[in-house]
Amino acid sequence: MVDKIKLAVIGAGSSYTPELIEGLVKEKESLPVGEIAFHDVDAARLEIMAGFCRRFLHHLGHEIPIAVTTDLRQAVEGATFVDVQIRVGGNAQRVLDEKIPLKYGVVGQETTGPGGMMKAFRTIPAMLQIARVVERHNPGAWIVNYTNPTGLVTEAVTLHTRAKIAGLCSGALFPRWRVSEAMGVPEDSVRYDYVGLNHLSFAFNVTVDARPVTDEEFDRIAEVAARGFMDPAILRNLRLIPSPYLQYYFHTSKKVKELKARTLSRAEEVLALEQEAFAAYSDPACDTKPEALAKRGGGGYSEIALDVMKAIYAGREKTIIVNVPSRGAVKGLPDSAVVEIPCRVNAAGIVGLNVAEVPKSVWGLIAAVKNYEQLAVEAAVTGSRDTALLALLAHPLVREYDVARPLLEELLEANRDYLPQFFA
Ligand code: G6P
């Protein structure tokens, strides 16, 4: 029996918080949480979410006291895990990340391309601040990060602080969901090798109950995994299951056209969904997850977080896909390069497992995007416009100087209030 722990949730005003609460209740036997501290810079959202989560816990038949604070140190002190899920500038800034690149014929997306870079620029300084508080006041704690872009955020934290961090994304479960659906088998019978970066990952060597899938079965998986994102012929040819975000690389022009044709960008849709969700959360009679939450993209959010916490704290060692510095696991990338790979997670921490071979067909793409990511992390920390420009020149979705330069200027200007490092 393990002792009860404290969990800190930074960015607790996020509409995803109830999913985490639900996960905690589901796992209450294996990970007994005796205390939760909610922190957010938005005191109003924080109060609403705390009120709702108390009712939700009660509805689920489980009581955990939720303390609310806007003092980071207070939230972090004594916590075994510090769950971080912040969005600097909110979805309002995300609208600009998605729309401005489109004016230049470039993909506009939350995490992929120049939009993701701007999110990294806004987020990394705040994330480093959180990590430094953890490092100073509770160095034994693990940061469990869901803040996007999770790969870049994790790389910044591991480069510039000694805080322990697990960079997570529910996207790592995507191949499992699709294989299970295509084959009609339980999710836990599915295994695969996996390599790449966050939102630039590939699953391969798929097995079901330890039996490699046949070519015919893979073709069926390809149909299901590509659905709504890309041409299944790509998967059949690669013999890989790419993250859905590869649609922006394999169908770039088509996606730019589709994004331009939308009446509302995804962030505008999310703003409306958030309004709906928060109206429900504010209602003192509401004690179940609002419908609007199911229309968000972060399904499976708490599953990996809980798996990581159980493996580290409760002796449930497991191989889990996490964003970690490569440290030799992916040959040819710098040791500091954060990669999304299967890791051995246990009480001793998180160690990336060696990737025997990165598929040749996508090696160049992974290396190029990693190159962009490393430059973007450097620019986020130093506030150097020159480095930011180099990052866009290295990005396969931008690359052209004549596009990158004015695009960068406009993006920086649109983010002026959130980027003191670039406007000092
Ligand atoms: C997926 C991705 C997340 C992303 C989310 C967007 O879950 O893995 O990284 O943040 O989708 O969902 P949204 O509802 O905000 O568009």
Side-chain angles (χ1 to χ4, degrees):
M1 182 68 193
V2 284
D3 290 339
K4 287 200 171 180
I5 59 166
K6 172 180 171 182
L7 172 70
V9 185
I10 314 300
S14 158
S15 48
Y16 284 128
T17 302
E19 287 234 323
L20 179 66
I21 296 293
E22 201 174 33
L24 292 178
V25 174
K26 220 167 108 196
E27 297 291 347
K28 62 177 190 265
E29 305 302 336
S30 40
L31 189 82
V33 173
E35 190 187 346
I36 306 177
F38 272 11
H39 174 278
D40 205 290
V41 291
D42 184 334
R45 267 174 86 127
L46 186 57
E47 281 302 335
I48 293 172
M49 190 51 77
F52 169 77
C53 287
R54 289 182 188 120
R55 297 193 296 277
F56 188 39
L57 272 169
H58 190 72
H59 168 87
L60 296 172
H62 189 56
E63 304 292 340
I64 311 175
I66 298 178
V68 165
T69 178
T70 51
D71 182 311
L72 192 55
R73 181 173 163 185
Q74 203 179 325
V76 159
E77 268 174 351
T80 301
F81 295 104
V82 179
D83 185 290
V84 187
Q85 42 177 43
I86 59 172
R87 189 183 286 279
V88 180
N91 276 294
Q93 284 305 119
R94 174 176 170 187
V95 173
L96 302 172
D97 295 344
E98 291 174 348
K99 287 194 162 175
I100 294 173
L102 290 177
K103 294 208 267 175
Y104 297 81
V106 173
V107 168
Q109 215 282 321
E110 180 197 13
T111 58
T112 300
M117 183 173 85
M118 297 320 289
K119 190 171 185 348
F121 287 178
R122 294 193 299 273
T123 309
I124 285 174
M127 204 58 212
L128 289 179
Q129 203 189 335
I130 295 166
R132 286 186 181 123
V133 171
V134 173
E135 190 181 28
R136 177 127 191 243
H137 299 288
N138 188 0
W142 273 91
I143 297 175
V144 176
N145 182 60
Y146 261 103
T147 306
N148 265 334
T150 193
L152 286 90
V153 161
T154 303
E155 188 154 325
V157 169
T158 50
L159 272 181
H160 296 286
T161 79
R162 294 157 80 92
K164 299 190 281 186
I165 181 168
L168 305 185
C169 178
S170 56
L173 299 173
F174 172 83
R176 202 169 88 184
W177 295 333
R178 294 296 91 92
V179 173
S180 149
E181 182 187 338
M183 303 272 297
V185 295
E187 283 180 15
D188 58 12
S189 65
V190 179
R191 297 273 184 283
Y192 37 79
D193 292 336
Y194 186 101
V195 72
L197 315 177
N198 179 240
H199 291 181
L200 196 92
S201 55
F202 302 88
F204 52 107
N205 293 339
V206 178
T207 62
V208 171
D209 286 326
R211 176 186 67 77
V213 298
T214 64
D215 284 350
E216 220 170 62
E217 286 166 341
F218 186 85
D219 291 350
R220 232 161 57 215
I221 294 167
E223 286 298 322
V224 176
R227 197 176 51 209
F229 301 120
M230 54 189 102
D231 187 333
I234 302 173
L235 281 66
R236 289 198 298 269
N237 195 350
L238 287 171
R239 307 317 275 179
L240 306 170
I241 306 174
S243 147
Y245 287 81
L246 267 302
Q247 64 183 298
Y248 300 111
Y249 295 89
F250 294 143
H251 293 294
T252 314
S253 310
K254 190 171 153 204
K255 293 296 159 183
V256 168
K257 230 162 133 188
E258 279 173 20
L259 291 170
K260 276 186 176 168
R262 291 176 72 134
T263 8
L264 292 179
S265 78
R266 176 63 188 159
E268 287 170 319
E269 284 175 4
V270 166
L271 280 168
L273 289 172
E274 293 232 302
Q275 235 180 11
E276 204 184 304
F278 270 85
Y281 293 142
S282 318
D283 176 356
C286 172
D287 62 1
T288 53
K289 282 197 300 181
E291 256 172 54
L293 193 56
K295 298 184 196 145
R296 293 296 305 276
Y301 159 80
S302 66
E303 191 179 328
I304 301 189
L306 267 301
D307 269 355
V308 166
M309 295 192 231
K310 283 189 300 181
I312 290 177
Y313 187 73
R316 308 279 180 107
E317 173 173 297
K318 197 169 174 181
T319 300
I320 307 172
I321 294 169
V322 184
N323 287 270
V324 289
S326 169
R327 299 201 176 111
V330 181
K331 308 275 172 304
L333 290 183
D335 281 355
S336 63
V338 164
V339 286
E340 190 169 274
I341 52 171
C343 296
R344 174 78 28 79
V345 188
N346 58 28
I350 305 180
V351 176
L353 300 173
N354 279 342
V355 176
E357 206 182 342
V358 179
K360 274 204 289 285
S361 51
V362 293
W363 165 245
L365 187 55
I366 293 173
V369 176
K370 189 70 244 177
N371 187 185
Y372 142 77
E373 288 192 353
Q374 297 210 296
L375 290 162
V377 169
E378 188 184 325
V381 173
T382 59
S384 159
R385 285 169 185 252
D386 285 348
T387 311
L389 184 58
L390 293 180
L392 287 186
L393 294 181
H395 202 301
L397 294 179
V398 186
R399 205 181 36 78
E400 267 191 81
Y401 178 79
D402 302 322
V403 173
R405 202 163 161 202
L407 170 59
L408 177 64
E409 285 313 311
E410 185 169 348
L411 284 169
L412 287 173
E413 203 46 51
N415 281 280
R416 183 180 266 273
D417 294 348
Y418 298 94
L419 301 180
Q421 74 273 43
F422 284 91
F423 289 93

